[in-house]
Amino acid sequence: MEDLRAFALRTLKAFKANQGLLLAGAVAYYALLSIVPMLILLVIALSHVVPEAELLAATARYLDWLVPGQGRASSRASCCTASCSGGCCSSR
């Protein structure tokens, strides 16, 4: 049990000496910074394979799950910019 405490203490000291919190924050920041462009590229690539209405519905559904209340607003805005013929744009 004493070895476990000594190991934990050495680990925490090394974590502090190597600025572990700063490094963990940097990894999280760069991971988030790289995920957003990757998701944009994924949606662009899927738009060539999946029908636009289906892709917008799926994107709105997942966005609404992630940020409640924003899925409907973003799908309405993207529909109006995608040169739809008055269907969703007239409901604004």
Side-chain angles (χ1 to χ4, degrees):
M1 192 61 151
E2 189 64 33
D3 290 336
L4 183 61
R5 285 186 188 164
F7 173 73
L9 187 61
R10 283 194 317 266
T11 303
L12 289 175
K13 283 182 180 179
F15 185 80
K16 185 178 176 184
N18 292 321
Q19 298 178 342
L21 288 177
L22 180 68
L23 293 174
V27 167
Y29 175 77
Y30 284 113
L32 181 64
L33 198 63
S34 65
I35 286 174
V36 172
M38 183 190 66
L39 290 176
I40 291 170
L41 288 175
L42 181 67
V43 169
I44 290 171
L46 283 174
S47 70
H48 294 289
V49 179
V50 179
E52 182 181 352
E54 191 176 327
L55 186 62
L56 286 174
T59 304
R61 186 173 59 245
Y62 287 120
L63 184 61
D64 201 33
W65 175 75
L66 187 64
V67 185
Q70 295 299 314
R72 193 171 37 242
S74 75
S75 67
R76 193 177 326 132
S78 61
C79 177
C80 291
T81 59
S83 70
C84 69
S85 57
C88 63
C89 300
S90 61
S91 65
R92 275 182 128 194

